[in-house]
Amino acid sequence: MSLTRRMLGCLVILPCVLLAPATYAEISISEVQPLKFPTALMHFNKNTVVEVNWKGEIGNSTNTTLLDDDYHQGRYLVTSDTNLPISLDFISLANEPFVDLNRIRVRYKNKTYTSFPVSGLVNPGVNGEFVEIGAKLIANKKNSQGVKNPQYIISIQEQ
């Protein structure tokens, strides 16, 4: 076979390879349950604090009367089809005036994280790992009574 014919064969094959569909690695986050705070009485002369820790228990900083026991930690299942390290970020959306989420605690693979973002974490693999979240809700004394629904974003990315 001549050199020109071999080069022509390579030129024909090369565009086919370049046009092949790309494959992508994927990380998946499935919400098992969102972080939920119990119904509580609001103070009029000081900030109201309700803490639900990553274990789903009421924290010691809670300073008010709870009206129900309908609360739990946030729980998410994270899976990945690669072995790349991951980064994790927690972002409070501050969507409720005079209501803050702080003292955020995120538990992943038996370690608790308190500042975000966190990078270089071990990949959860195809079988997955749970991420558990706890936080302290602080309602400023200037806040009005009523249902509060503080929102947050969990971002997990492969690096």
Side-chain angles (χ1 to χ4, degrees), residues 77-135:
L77 178 64
V78 181
T79 59
S80 172
D81 62 358
T82 74
N83 61 356
L84 297 171
I86 63 170
S87 64
L88 184 149
D89 200 2
F90 183 98
I91 303 154
S92 175
L93 295 180
N95 62 306
E96 292 279 357
F98 303 112
V99 175
D100 294 314
L101 285 180
N102 71 23
R103 199 172 185 275
I104 309 300
R105 301 288 185 257
V106 175
R107 183 89 171 165
Y108 176 71
K109 292 186 78 74
N110 296 320
K111 187 166 182 191
T112 305
Y113 299 94
T114 60
S115 61
F116 306 96
V118 180
S119 60
L121 300 176
V122 175
N123 189 290
V126 293
N127 293 328
E129 293 284 343
F130 285 104
V131 172
E132 294 163 322
I133 297 170

Side-chain angles (χ1 to χ4, degrees), residues 27-46:
I27 193 157
S28 173
I29 305 170
S30 301
E31 182 178 74
V32 176
Q33 64 187 20
L35 177 60
K36 185 170 189 321
F37 295 93
T39 305
L41 289 179
M42 191 170 146
H43 294 293
F44 292 105
N45 58 348
K46 64 181 178 178

